[in-house]
Amino acid sequence: MEAGRRSSTKPVQSLKPTKTVSVDEDLTKASDALPLPLHLSNAVFFTLFFSAVYFLLSHWREKIRTSTPLSVVTFSEIIAILAFVASFIYLLGFFGIDFVQSLILRPQTEVWNSEDDDEVADVLLRKKDARKVPCGQALDCSLPPLPPPAPIVTVQKVLDENPVTVLTEEDEEIIKSVVAGTTPSYSLESKLGDCKRAAAIRREALQRLTGKSLEGLPLDGFDYESILGQCCEMPVGYVQIPVGIAGPLLINGREYSVPMATTEGCLVASTNRGCKAIHLSGGATSTLLRDGMTRAPAVRFGTAKRAADLKLYLEDPDNFDTLAVVFNRSSRFGRLQGIKCAIAGKNLYLRFTCTTGDAMGMNMVSKGVQNVLDFLQTDFPDMDVMGISGNFCSDKKPAAVNWIEGRGKSVVCEAIIKGDVVRKVLKTTVESLVELNMLKNLTGSAMAGALGGFNAHASNIVTAVYIATGQDPAQNVESSHCITMMEAVNDGKDLHISVTMPSIEVGTVGGGTQLASQSACLNLLGVKGASKESAGANSRMLAAVVAGAVLAGELSLMSALAAGQLVKSHMKYNRSNKDVSKASS
């Protein structure tokens, strides 16, 4: 399936092979007048044009001064006139005609291309599809059995500048049926048995339905089989995000190169500077405080008393062992740690907490919760389960329960930064950092009524590491809960800095962690897959790396603010100097 096929407003025509173009075909333009590179040809004719004009003007002025008729020309003047005419024709053909045509014949923005105009893309040609497939009765959406189709060769500009042969007559018929609505787009993978082909057909059908081009959104170079049924439905391509490396980050005596996927300038560089300051000061220490994923269903009773009865039953230590056995049936790694309940009238919210091994564990804990709810239905038949999640969990939302009780991995990471490092690397002083942290991260956040946001930019680092390592980026909401503390130690010479993060939700198996790019980043950190030594060790180590990276990011940004370097740095590293009009062309 051609990634960049386009349509116009013309009616549907019979399917015909598009024109194939030889790579060695000679395409002559005005710019090919000399066997020289284009810029040299332009330079030659520019010089010739202005030299001829200058020569003729100077000679004609001399003739006027001496009263010589202008009609009397010398051989050198004849040569100059011919040079002027030749260079003028070249420059007019190269600049004037193309420019005027581009103004007069410019297509409207909503039309992709029309007729059979061939564009030169280096030595390749791409013939534009001048058809648009309408919906409705004019479209033949039947799918009769076809003989083995011959491929339709189309040429498009792709990254490797090679022709791509991907579209067949059978594909065209399927595209028509998707556009008409007779074939659901979501069913293409199961019907075709080829995820890449399904994505290409869905992409072309989407372009025809919307009249909008997806050129620029890559299609090739991705394993669509790897996301089937677990990462993304109805794909039409993938988005490229650059990955930078900050480090080495020294935590608990071990160095880590931290991958960060981001489109924000200065972020990786700033975190890298913080890593350097930590490393020069002897490294950071990370401590795991808690490890437990949560899920909180909402149930309803006929009376508040019945809801209270279940609350007392679940929080009774004598019943915990029974409930744990029921819960733990769902997984080898899911182990119930506790249940806390909150009641609102006759509604009850049950917050289950359990370990999940090296998985982030949302599905694991949900299955265990469902087992317990089924078990409780026997003794509490009047219990009405309103939802497996009642937002008392709380997932992907800022919530005080996560800030206080924790969710996922609760981590504290600290380091003592030497005074010399603060001055030479961070370009500020210990006193300035301590004062700014109190005024900004503590007092300023309190004035704003922040919930878990007592930090400079923890979510920046968390999100970048999450995307690079295949975590759920939406969980940066609660995973970025962080309080940054700074204090002068050793008689005020050095800086003690710490970040406390109560709900880092990460995993090294499942979800996006198994994709090739994300798996490579996990492998770089040495935490890929499930730990063979101790269940959950890799995910806990990843949480420590996240906290350490946040520590480095907080240290560097706060130093830039204290030294007044923030705006200057962003103007230098986060502003493009490219001419946008030239870049787009």
Side-chain angles (χ1 to χ4, degrees), residues 230 358-359 470 507-514:
Q230 63 176 349
D358 282 304
T508 58
V509 296
T513 64
Q514 49 82 39

Side-chain angles (χ1 to χ4, degrees), residues 292-297 299 307 310-328 335-342 348-355 365 368-373 375-376 392 401 405:
M293 182 50 64
T294 65
R295 175 60 85 197
V299 299
L310 178 57
K311 180 180 186 298
L312 295 174
Y313 174 85
L314 292 173
E315 294 180 347
D316 187 344
D318 295 336
N319 298 325
F320 179 78
D321 290 341
T322 302
L323 296 173
V325 170
V326 174
F327 183 97
N328 296 344
R335 295 293 177 265
L336 184 64
Q337 294 177 323
I339 307 173
K340 289 191 175 182
C341 301
L348 185 64
Y349 299 85
L350 326 173
R351 194 171 194 260
F352 292 77
T353 306
C354 79
T355 59
V365 66
V369 168
Q370 188 61 57
N371 288 345
V372 174
L373 292 176
F375 173 78
L376 292 174
F392 188 48
V401 68
E405 298 289 341

Side-chain angles (χ1 to χ4, degrees), residues 224-288:
Y224 292 92
E225 301 283 347
S226 64
I227 65 173
L228 183 63
Q230 63 176 349
C231 286
C232 180
E233 297 75 42
M234 297 190 287
V236 294
Y238 60 96
V239 174
Q240 298 165 311
I241 301 179
V243 177
I245 297 297
L249 174 63
L250 183 60
I251 303 178
N252 297 337
R254 180 175 173 180
E255 291 184 348
Y256 298 90
S257 295
V258 184
M260 301 175 66
T262 181
T263 57
E264 179 183 350
C266 290
L267 180 59
V268 178
S270 176
T271 307
N272 188 68
R273 183 175 76 149
C275 291
K276 178 180 179 180
I278 293 172
H279 201 291
L280 292 175
S281 300
T285 302
S286 178
T287 304
L288 183 76

Side-chain angles (χ1 to χ4, degrees), residues 289-311:
L289 305 176
R290 282 188 297 266
D291 183 6
M293 182 50 64
T294 65
R295 175 60 85 197
V299 299
R300 174 181 290 177
F301 290 88
T303 64
K305 183 180 184 308
R306 286 293 291 163
D309 289 342
L310 178 57
K311 180 180 186 298

Side-chain angles (χ1 to χ4, degrees), residues 453-467:
F454 297 88
N455 57 80
H457 70 149
S459 63
N460 243 342
I461 292 87
V462 170
T463 305
V465 177
Y466 271 28
I467 294 175

Side-chain angles (χ1 to χ4, degrees), residues 9 118 171 431 476:
T9 57
D118 295 329
D171 291 341
E431 295 80 3
N476 80 85

